[in-house]
């Protein structure tokens, strides 16, 4: 369902095509199928001086498959174990003079190691490049993905009969002690546009906007309850390890996000100093509403002879509010990379204004933060580049203190790093080598 990553010990913030993805309440990944993308880039360490609120470990960006002016594409069909079947394809080429397009699509139907599981996924991702002039390009892109998973418990089983002995035997890996009517549904889409215009060589403006909508429903998720054998009076009786209780966890979430980022790239010289200047402003707003339920009334089940009786349906499937907040952020940033021969000094500064509205509690909290970073790199003629850097990060924390009701403060981080890079991609004999080594403290 999701892509779980850690970067330098932290869960990184996800970006898609240069725009931050909607961070949902329980998870930091939208789970868009990797077939939609052609590359993934990771920035390690605090990057708030450019990207605003972000964890101290870093961020990652997934780049969609790009349009080309020549006709090209592929069609892929795969089958496998556990009733796995998939068809996927991508097609690109010139649509009109000055207009290139690409369409990527995927359909997958699979089972699992567990019985009674059926999962379907549908993805479609179009991209169009439009040349408005010799120096101006507009890119329109987006995706839609639908996931439906029935019968899954994600493999929850009791210890007795799996990793521990059970006098009644061993449970097979295919055992499903949840319910065939378990259901997880997710649909999400994004629509984006990016405008680039080159005023002159070395002077470029780049504007990127995107709207995301993410919805996730779990109306039923019956799983075994931990320590759930019903006969708790006589562990010497084999029936002690037969029948277990189960619970039903429900969850519903809606997340909407809009981001806009406009920046100016400039390259110029002042005497012997070469400058790469980046300056811009970005805005993002995220609305997140999530609720859940936890019920202990599903019928018990014999783990060696499971019979699935009807599960009681609650009148309110999600009576507990998990999150109901809106976040708005506006950031101003500037960065200058100054080069003197083989020596490069990078200076970055950003100021963010963050407002978090807790709609359930009727409270507002503001976070104004100044983030900065600096780094020094020397690029030798043999491809070795030692460097040293310092950077800071901040990340608003959604939610309120359960005792005081006050909003949480933002988490803050800083990093000291020293390292060396080696670029050997120009070595003779067709040898490509790129390597880094670093020591850092977060």
């Amino acid at each position: 369902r999701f892509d779980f990553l850690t970067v330098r010990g932290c869960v990184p913030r996800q970006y898609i095509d240069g725009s931050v993805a909607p961070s949902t309440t329980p998870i930091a990944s939208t789970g868009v199928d990797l077939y939609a993308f052609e590359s993934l880039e990771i920035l390690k360490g605090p990057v708030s001086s450019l990207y605003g609120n972000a964890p101290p470990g870093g961020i990652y960006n997934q780049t969609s498959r790009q349009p080309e002016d020549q006709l090209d594409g592929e069609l892929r069909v795969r089958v496998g174990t556990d009733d796995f079947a998939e068809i996927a394809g991508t097609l690109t080429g010139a649509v009109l003079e000055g207009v290139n397009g690409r369409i990527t699509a995927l359909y997958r139907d699979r089972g699992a190691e567990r019985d009674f599981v059926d999962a379907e996924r549908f993805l479609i991702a179009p991209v169009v490049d439009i040349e408005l002039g010799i120096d101006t390009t507009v890119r329109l892109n987006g995706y839609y993905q639908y996931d439906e998973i029935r019968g899954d418990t994600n493999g929850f089983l009791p210890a007795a009969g799996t990793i521990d002995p059970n006098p009644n035997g061993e449970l097979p890996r295919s055992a499903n002690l949840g319910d065939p009517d378990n259901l997880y549904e997710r649909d999400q889409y994004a629509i984006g546009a990016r405008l680039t215009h080159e005023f002159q060589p070395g002077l470029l403006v780049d504007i990127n906007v995107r709207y995301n909508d993410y919805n996730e429903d779990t109306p039923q998720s019956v799983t075994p309850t931990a320590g759930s054998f019903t006969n708790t009076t006589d562990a010497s009786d084999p029936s002690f390890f037969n029948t277990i209780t189960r619970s039903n966890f429900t969850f519903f979430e809606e997340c909407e996000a809009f981001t806009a980022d406009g920046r100016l790239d400039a390259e110029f010289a002042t005497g012997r100093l070469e400058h790469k200047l980046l300056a811009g402003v970005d805005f993002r707003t995220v609305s997140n509403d999530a609720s859940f339920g936890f019920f202990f009334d599903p019928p018990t089940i014999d783990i060696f002879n499971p019979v699935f009786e009807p599960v009681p349906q609650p009148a309110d499937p999600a009576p507990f509010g998990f999150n109901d907040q809106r976040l708005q952020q506006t950031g101003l940033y500037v960065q200058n990379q100054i080069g003197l021969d083989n020596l490069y000094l990078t200076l970055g500064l950003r100021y963010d204004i963050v407002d978090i509205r807790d709609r359930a509690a009727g409270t507002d909290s503001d976070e104004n933060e100044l983030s900065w970073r600096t780094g020094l790199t020397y690029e030798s003629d043999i491809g070795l580049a030692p460097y040293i850097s310092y950077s800071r990060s901040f990340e608003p924390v959604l939610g309120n203190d359960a005792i005081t009701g006050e909003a949480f403060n933002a988490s803050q981080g800083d990093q000291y790093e020293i390292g060396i890079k080696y670029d050997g991609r120009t070595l003779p004999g067709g040898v490509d080598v790129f390597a880094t080594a670093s020591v850092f403290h977060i």
Side-chain angles (χ1 to χ4, degrees):
R1 300 180 190 181
F2 305 101
D3 304 312
F4 291 95
L5 300 169
T6 56
V7 175
R8 294 193 169 176
C10 301
V11 177
R13 181 66 54 83
Q14 180 189 24
Y15 280 69
I16 296 177
D17 294 325
S19 294
V20 63
S23 297
T24 67
T25 303
I27 211 77
S29 163
T30 59
V32 178
D33 199 278
L34 297 182
Y35 189 74
F37 305 107
E38 68 176 25
S39 66
L40 178 143
E41 304 86 38
I42 297 177
L43 293 182
K44 299 179 180 179
V47 293
S48 290
S49 62
L50 274 182
Y51 293 95
N53 75 77
I59 65 174
Y60 68 100
N61 178 62
Q62 295 168 286
T63 301
S64 299
R65 294 175 181 264
Q66 305 299 297
E68 301 174 6
D69 57 2
Q70 298 296 317
L71 184 64
D72 194 13
E74 71 172 20
L75 180 64
R76 186 176 80 181
V77 177
R78 300 196 299 176
V79 295
T81 57
D82 301 315
D83 300 321
F84 182 95
E86 176 189 275
I87 182 169
T90 183
L91 181 66
T92 186
V95 180
L96 299 169
E97 181 69 26
V99 179
N100 300 326
R102 178 184 287 273
I103 186 75
T104 301
L106 174 143
Y107 175 75
R108 178 183 303 136
D109 188 2
R110 65 165 179 85
E113 287 186 319
R114 299 166 294 287
D115 295 330
F116 313 118
V117 176
D118 182 63
E120 291 183 278
R121 167 171 292 177
F122 171 72
L123 164 76
I124 187 167
V127 186
V128 177
D129 277 352
I130 305 173
E131 293 183 7
L132 300 181
I134 190 172
D135 299 318
T136 306
T137 302
V138 172
R139 170 166 292 166
L140 305 175
N141 60 15
Y143 62 82
Y144 171 79
Q145 181 170 301
Y146 175 73
D147 290 281
E148 179 182 293
I149 305 175
R150 292 188 175 274
D152 208 355
T153 64
N154 299 305
F156 287 112
L157 294 172
T162 53
I163 61 173
D164 293 336
N166 187 314
N168 300 295
E170 182 177 342
L171 279 172
R173 286 183 178 270
S174 59
N176 186 331
L177 304 182
D179 192 88
D181 290 331
N182 281 357
L183 177 62
Y184 171 86
E185 284 186 294
R186 177 178 61 190
D187 66 87
Q188 57 179 309
Y189 69 88
I191 302 172
R194 187 167 191 169
L195 170 70
T196 57
H197 175 74
E198 187 176 32
F199 294 100
Q200 62 186 48
L203 185 60
L204 177 75
V205 66
D206 190 339
I207 301 173
N208 193 12
V209 298
R210 178 172 285 243
Y211 172 80
N212 292 82
D213 186 89
Y214 180 100
N215 296 278
E216 182 179 321
D217 294 339
T218 308
Q220 178 175 300
S221 181
V222 176
T223 59
T225 308
S228 57
F229 288 103
T230 57
N231 178 5
T232 59
T233 58
D234 184 6
S236 63
D237 185 347
S239 67
F240 181 91
F241 297 99
N242 259 25
T243 305
I244 60 170
T245 61
R246 298 177 299 166
S247 56
N248 182 14
F249 175 72
T250 60
F251 188 82
F252 300 86
E253 180 166 31
E254 297 178 0
C255 186
E256 291 182 272
F258 173 79
T259 63
D261 184 10
R263 61 182 181 266
L264 190 70
D265 288 294
E267 296 184 17
F268 57 93
T270 56
R272 292 180 59 195
L273 300 179
E274 300 287 337
H275 300 265
K276 290 185 177 181
L277 182 66
L278 177 68
V281 57
D282 71 15
F283 171 80
R284 70 184 65 164
T285 178
V286 181
S287 176
N288 187 219
D289 183 10
S291 57
F292 72 97
F294 205 78
F295 308 94
F296 294 96
D297 54 1
T300 59
I301 195 169
D302 186 324
I303 64 174
F304 294 101
N305 185 28
V307 176
F308 301 102
E309 299 178 13
V311 176
Q313 298 302 306
D316 184 354
F320 306 112
F322 191 76
N323 185 60
D324 187 6
Q325 291 183 315
R326 184 216 63 205
L327 179 145
Q328 287 187 343
Q329 173 187 327
T330 303
L332 301 169
Y333 58 91
V334 61
Q335 177 179 285
N336 192 10
Q337 186 186 78
I338 307 168
L340 177 62
D341 298 328
N342 289 4
L343 189 66
Y344 297 90
L345 173 66
T346 300
L347 300 169
L349 190 67
R350 176 179 171 122
Y351 184 73
D352 279 289
I353 302 171
V354 180
D355 175 75
I356 299 177
R357 171 77 173 170
D358 190 309
R359 292 172 294 210
T363 59
D364 280 282
S365 61
D366 297 320
E367 295 280 354
N368 299 336
E369 190 69 29
L370 184 68
S371 307
W372 61 281
R373 71 169 176 169
T374 182
L376 189 65
T377 303
Y378 178 78
E379 292 188 0
S380 69
D381 295 332
I382 60 173
L384 288 173
Y387 69 91
I388 186 170
S389 70
Y390 171 80
S391 56
R392 294 182 59 85
S393 72
F394 86 101
E395 184 177 26
V397 179
L398 297 180
N400 296 294
D401 187 287
I403 304 301
T404 66
E406 296 180 357
F408 293 127
N409 294 327
S411 78
Q412 297 178 328
D414 57 7
Q415 174 186 269
Y416 303 85
E417 181 173 359
I418 185 170
I420 189 168
K421 303 178 182 181
Y422 175 66
D423 189 351
R425 290 173 290 183
T426 59
L427 291 173
V431 177
D432 281 349
V433 177
F434 183 80
T436 64
S438 65
V439 177
F440 62 88
H441 175 73
I442 295 179

